[in-house]
Amino acid sequence: MNATLVAVALSLVSAVAYAAAAVAQERLAALDAGTGVRRMLTSGAWWSSVALNAGAALLHVVALKYGPLTVVQPLGALTLVAAVPLGARLAGRRVGAMEWRGTALTLVGLAAILVTASGSAPGDVLSVPEAVAVAGATAALIGLLSRRGTRPGLRHATASGVASGVASALTQTVTVAATDPSGALLSVEVVVVALLVAAFAVGGLFLSQTAYRGGLGAPLAVVTLANPVAAAVIGLSLLGEGLRGGAAGVLLALAGAVVAGRGVVLLTRAPRTAPHPHPHPHPADGTHPVAAVLSLEPQQAPTEPSLLPKLTPL
């Protein structure tokens, strides 16, 4: 089977797993609004959703072994597409017209990107100096975006998307280098870059939590779009990845990105019916924590727009 097709298939399964984990995390955030990090870290349901998220991340890592960043990373937007019917079913409602339009636009845009970005399995990796330089520039950008000021939600969301996108680029380097039969499994390059991956992955997770304190709609769109952009910049500039079709291919990819971005925005703005409050789950009765949370509706104000789950693939 073609390596790119393997990467696409793994990315699809990863997106569904991310969607299920994200729905659980969104509902937990709504049920426990205002609680601190300590309360979150002692929640069995939160850790269960993190485990599901980790499984999705593992599939994403394997996909990066078989496909270039310019193919794998944009497919992360499919998490939103998978979350639409899942969220609607759990809320006991039908998928709305705006959600269908957003889903269609996202799929069409991603198809245009894949047509131009399809390539062979990745073979080039970042050197240690390149990885350190990328990490330093990313850390500086995150520090700039995390300053106190206006619109902290959007700035933290941008920082989260960039951190996650860079983590994906570094993860691809670790995966390719570690599985190279001509090199050592735990070389200096693998260890250093793996530590950077862990730092940016954890940083992206907590930055996204901070970004959503004031609402999920606009920050979610920013995270979803900043993530593949950051990864694609590294793939195109440092890893030798390219776009097929010359200038026409570039234009088609840009058009696809715009269309997919519009679809993501529609998915995050689609209205939904106001949920009915329910008590907190009690997993001690034998129900799995994630299943207990998914069965509840988050307690939000009736005027709140549709808040789909967050998207932070590695």
Side-chain angles (χ1 to χ4, degrees), residues 91-169:
R93 64 177 180 85
R94 294 182 178 179
V95 178
M98 183 180 293
E99 291 170 316
W100 282 123
R101 289 198 299 272
T103 298
L105 288 175
T106 302
L107 292 176
V108 169
L110 289 176
I113 294 174
L114 291 177
V115 166
T116 60
S118 297
S120 59
D124 197 7
V125 296
L126 296 175
S127 64
V128 172
E130 287 175 335
V132 172
V134 168
T138 304
L141 178 59
I142 290 175
L144 183 65
L145 292 170
S146 300
R147 294 182 307 166
R148 293 181 179 272
T150 59
R151 306 181 72 83
L154 296 182
R155 288 189 288 105
H156 283 101
T158 303
S160 175
V162 170
S164 299
V166 170
S168 280

Side-chain angles (χ1 to χ4, degrees), residues 267-279:
L267 287 172
T268 60
R269 290 181 177 178
R272 70 177 183 186
T273 56
H276 301 287
H278 288 268

Side-chain angles (χ1 to χ4, degrees), residues 68-91:
L69 281 169
T70 47
V71 170
V72 174
Q73 208 62 20
L75 289 173
L78 290 176
T79 296
L80 284 174
V81 176
V84 168
L86 177 60
R89 180 177 178 82
L90 293 173

